[in-house]
Amino acid sequence: MTDPIKHWLNNQINRIPLLNTLYSSIKDFTEAFVGDAKKFNVPVLVKVNEIGVSKIGFLTQSDLSKIKLTDEVVVYFPYSYSFAGQVVVVKSSLVTKLDMSATDAMKLVVSGGVSGLE
């Protein structure tokens, strides 16, 4: 019963350019966390500097050849206690896949390091 309403609403939103862009971005971001095709499923550790600082993030794009960045990847770094985050293009040599589930990695980051290693 709600499918026709969703379809109609999506069509209405798609007709307004700025609202369409905002809506589709929020929809994609929400589906990345809770949708059927979760996109934050590859937890990684990214070396930030030479003194040993690293950040936990999620690999979101591993092939940037279309924009002529062949040795770089896109990593999303969520902020602790927030649904906000930062998208960063990083040299692939600085990225190491973590041996942990995406769920546990997200718990670790969002909780500020308090949970996720149970």
Side-chain angles (χ1 to χ4, degrees), residues 3-96:
D3 284 342
I5 295 170
K6 284 184 196 176
H7 185 69
W8 178 84
L9 183 60
N10 281 331
N11 285 338
Q12 297 305 311
I13 290 172
N14 286 335
R15 293 180 184 195
I16 306 169
L18 182 61
L19 185 59
N20 176 28
T21 302
L22 182 62
Y23 173 74
S24 64
S25 297
I26 291 170
K27 182 180 171 190
D28 288 346
F29 183 74
T30 303
E31 287 176 354
F33 281 107
V34 296
D36 292 334
K38 293 182 178 89
K39 295 185 174 73
F40 300 132
N41 57 3
V42 181
V44 295
L45 188 69
V46 178
K47 184 176 178 181
V48 175
N49 63 30
E50 296 302 320
I51 63 168
V53 175
S54 297
K55 292 177 76 172
I56 295 174
F58 296 87
L59 186 67
T60 57
Q61 295 289 328
S62 58
D63 182 7
L64 299 179
S65 59
K66 286 186 179 180
I67 56 173
K68 295 182 176 42
L69 297 174
T70 55
D71 63 341
E72 296 182 287
V73 296
V74 176
V75 177
Y76 173 73
F77 295 108
Y79 294 143
S80 297
Y81 302 105
S82 173
F83 282 107
Q86 183 179 30
V87 174
V88 179
V89 176
V90 181
K91 293 232 178 268
S92 56
S93 61
L94 300 174
V95 177
T96 305

